[in-house]
């Protein structure tokens, strides 16, 4: 399995609260990458792209789970 498929399998099994915590963690990491980039430190741009992709995947899974199980 590729790294991306393993990650997707892992996040599909997470609860809604765990997904929210993972999104917050990744957004903080993305802010940290942007700060490093602005201060001209070495940052792998592929990591920024990968982090954004992970955030979007988590948000999609979160939206689908809310659509299937709406909160009263």
């Amino acid at each position: 399995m590729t790294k991306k498929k393993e990650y997707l399998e892992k996040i599909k099994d997470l609860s809604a609260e765990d997904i929210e915590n993972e999104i917050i963690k990744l957004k903080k990491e993305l802010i940290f990458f942007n700060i490093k980039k602005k201060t001209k430190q070495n940052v792998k741009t592929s990591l920024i792209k990968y982090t954004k992709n992970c955030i979007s995947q988590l948000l999609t899974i979160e939206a689908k789970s809310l659509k299937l199980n709406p909160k009263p």
Side-chain angles (χ1 to χ4, degrees):
M1 260 190 190
T2 63
K3 187 176 180 181
K4 195 172 194 179
K5 287 183 181 180
E6 289 175 5
Y7 183 73
L8 281 173
E9 290 298 319
K10 184 183 103 176
I11 61 175
K12 283 182 182 179
D13 297 332
L14 295 176
S15 67
E17 187 175 312
D18 291 337
I19 290 174
E20 288 177 20
N21 290 336
E22 188 73 18
I23 291 170
I24 291 169
K25 184 185 94 171
L26 288 173
K27 283 185 177 182
K28 286 180 183 178
E29 192 173 309
L30 188 62
I31 290 170
F32 183 69
F33 286 145
N34 285 329
I35 290 171
K36 281 184 124 182
K37 192 168 84 171
K38 295 289 182 188
T39 58
K40 308 237 188 263
Q41 296 179 15
N42 288 338
V43 179
K44 294 183 180 179
T45 54
S46 61
L47 284 177
I48 295 173
K49 182 179 176 182
Y50 179 75
T51 304
K52 286 181 179 180
N53 192 1
C54 290
I55 291 171
S56 65
Q57 289 172 350
L58 285 168
L59 289 171
T60 302
I61 290 174
E62 183 182 43
K64 284 184 179 181
S65 68
L66 287 176
K67 195 173 188 180
L68 295 175
N69 303 320
K71 294 181 180 177

